């Protein structure tokens, strides 16, 4: 998730609004982000709109092509599979490097994040779900002790935002995710890193499978409304 403190007032408002529309499914993959349409929506300058689109491009949820403008990033099936192959490798390795059983302090921290995540799932508060989910995983993987590995995990989590976002509104998938988080916490109380690593890999599959199924239904060149 972008840190809004990194950007100035009006630009930050535009970035946040469009980011939420993209992450939470209001703007589908492939949707064109037409500057004139955005200017009609937001009372800001064209320069501010362009800067906001640039920041969303840096995040990885928007792409810009010459003579075509900006659009919500749509990952091809091959791109999804390749990104998730890397995510699986990175997250499996990090899980194998976490000293187990984990400390009481780390378990307590993860349980508190899980409590917050569960509350957001029950309330169906999508931004809270998204933020607590990322905090849970990055807190857990940070225990591997390799900052570069954790940074790479964070990078590929961001690249896969269009994939992960598609599951946020599905209550059944959220319940599966909540169960997976609990299983991970329980695994960290024990000594078998391979069990934890497999849980981390299994946790990636539902969103990937769902996106690959849904992307076949998406047409080309939808414009913002």
């Amino acid at each position: 998730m972008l840190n809004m403190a990194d950007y100035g007032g009006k630009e930050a408002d535009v970035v946040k609004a469009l980011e939420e529309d993209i992450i939470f499914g209001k703007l589908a993959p492939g949707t064109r982000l037409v500057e004139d349409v955005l200017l009609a929506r937001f009372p800001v300058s064209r320069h501010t709109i362009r800067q906001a689109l640039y920041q969303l491009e840096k995040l990885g949820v928007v792409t810009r092509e010459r003579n075509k403008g900006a659009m919500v990033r749509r990952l091809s099936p091959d791109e999804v599979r390749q990104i998730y192959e890397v995510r699986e490798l990175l997250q499996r390795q990090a899980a194998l490097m976490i000293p187990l059983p984990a400390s009481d302090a780390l378990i307590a921290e993860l349980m508190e994040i899980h409590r917050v995540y569960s509350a957001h799932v029950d309330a169906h508060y999508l931004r809270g779900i998204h933020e607590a989910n990322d905090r849970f995983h990055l807190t857990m993987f940070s225990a591997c002790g390799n900052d570069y590995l954790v940074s790479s995990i964070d990078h590929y989590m961001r690249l896969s935002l269009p994939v992960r976002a598609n599951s946020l509104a599905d209550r059944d998938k959220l319940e599966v995710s909540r169960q997976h988080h609990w299983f991970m916490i329980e695994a960290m109380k024990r000594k078998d890193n391979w069990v934890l690593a497999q849980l981390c890999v299994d946790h990636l599959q539902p969103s990937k499978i769902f996106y690959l199924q849904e992307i076949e239904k998406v047409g080309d060149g939808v414009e913002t409304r």
Side-chain angles (χ1 to χ4, degrees), residues 84 163-164 167 203-212:
Y84 272 76
V163 180
R164 298 191 289 135
S167 296
H203 184 63
L204 298 175
Q205 305 312 311
S207 293
K208 179 184 73 174
I209 293 169
F210 181 68
Y211 188 89
L212 288 172

Side-chain angles (χ1 to χ4, degrees), residues 1-2 59 153-162 164:
M1 186 69 65
L2 285 174
L59 178 61
I153 289 172
D154 186 25
H155 174 66
Y156 277 90
M157 285 173 64
R158 290 173 180 271
L159 284 181
S160 64
L161 268 176
R164 298 191 289 135

Side-chain angles (χ1 to χ4, degrees), residues 6-26:
D6 293 341
Y7 312 112
K10 291 183 178 180
E11 181 183 324
D13 292 341
V14 177
V15 170
K16 181 177 180 180
L18 291 178
E19 180 198 18
E20 288 187 346
D21 285 351
I22 293 167
I23 291 175
F24 306 140
K26 294 180 181 178

Side-chain angles (χ1 to χ4, degrees), residues 1-224:
M1 186 69 65
L2 285 174
N3 183 351
M4 292 300 112
D6 293 341
Y7 312 112
K10 291 183 178 180
E11 181 183 324
D13 292 341
V14 177
V15 170
K16 181 177 180 180
L18 291 178
E19 180 198 18
E20 288 187 346
D21 285 351
I22 293 167
I23 291 175
F24 306 140
K26 294 180 181 178
L27 292 173
T31 301
R32 287 190 59 212
L33 300 172
V34 181
E35 288 185 9
D36 288 342
V37 175
L38 297 176
L39 284 168
R41 175 180 174 184
F42 300 104
V44 298
S45 68
R46 190 174 295 275
H47 172 75
T48 299
I49 292 294
R50 288 176 177 172
Q51 285 299 110
L53 292 174
Y54 171 71
Q55 299 302 341
L56 290 167
E57 184 182 23
K58 285 176 62 178
L59 178 61
V61 295
V62 163
T63 59
R64 292 192 294 181
E65 297 182 27
R66 191 178 187 86
N67 299 323
K68 290 186 178 181
M71 67 177 60
V72 179
R73 186 177 185 188
R74 178 168 56 195
L75 295 169
S76 70
D78 281 345
E79 287 176 316
V80 173
R81 293 186 183 97
Q82 290 177 28
I83 288 171
Y84 272 76
E85 284 173 358
V86 177
R87 288 194 71 194
E88 290 170 15
L89 288 169
L90 293 172
Q91 297 188 189
R92 178 185 288 111
Q93 184 59 37
L96 291 173
M97 293 169 61
I98 296 173
L100 295 183
S103 68
D104 292 342
L106 177 56
I107 295 297
E109 184 177 6
L110 289 172
M111 289 183 69
E112 174 58 19
I113 298 171
H114 180 65
R115 183 193 67 77
V116 173
Y117 177 80
S118 293
H120 291 324
V121 169
D122 290 337
H124 207 58
Y125 174 41
L126 298 184
R127 174 167 282 276
I129 292 168
H130 176 69
E131 291 178 345
N133 176 76
D134 283 9
R135 188 161 66 251
F136 179 91
H137 291 293
L138 292 175
T139 298
M140 180 179 69
F141 290 127
S142 291
C144 78
N146 186 318
D147 292 341
Y148 294 97
L149 179 54
V150 176
S151 179
S152 296
I153 289 172
D154 186 25
H155 174 66
Y156 277 90
M157 285 173 64
R158 290 173 180 271
L159 284 181
S160 64
L161 268 176
V163 180
R164 298 191 289 135
N166 275 263
S167 296
L168 280 177
D170 190 304
R171 291 186 182 274
D172 290 339
K173 291 182 178 61
L174 287 174
E175 187 56 41
V176 170
S177 177
R178 173 157 53 182
Q179 292 173 0
H180 285 180
H181 287 185
W182 181 253
F183 293 154
M184 290 176 196
I185 292 172
E186 289 299 306
M188 292 187 71
K189 297 177 183 178
R190 299 177 174 83
K191 295 183 178 181
D192 194 336
N193 287 77
W194 286 102
V195 170
L196 177 61
Q198 190 59 51
L199 285 170
C200 292
V201 171
D202 291 346
H203 184 63
L204 298 175
Q205 305 312 311
S207 293
K208 179 184 73 174
I209 293 169
F210 181 68
Y211 188 89
L212 288 172
Q213 292 171 342
E214 289 298 304
I215 200 172
E216 297 177 358
K217 304 175 185 178
V218 177
D220 292 327
V222 185
E223 294 212 358
T224 52

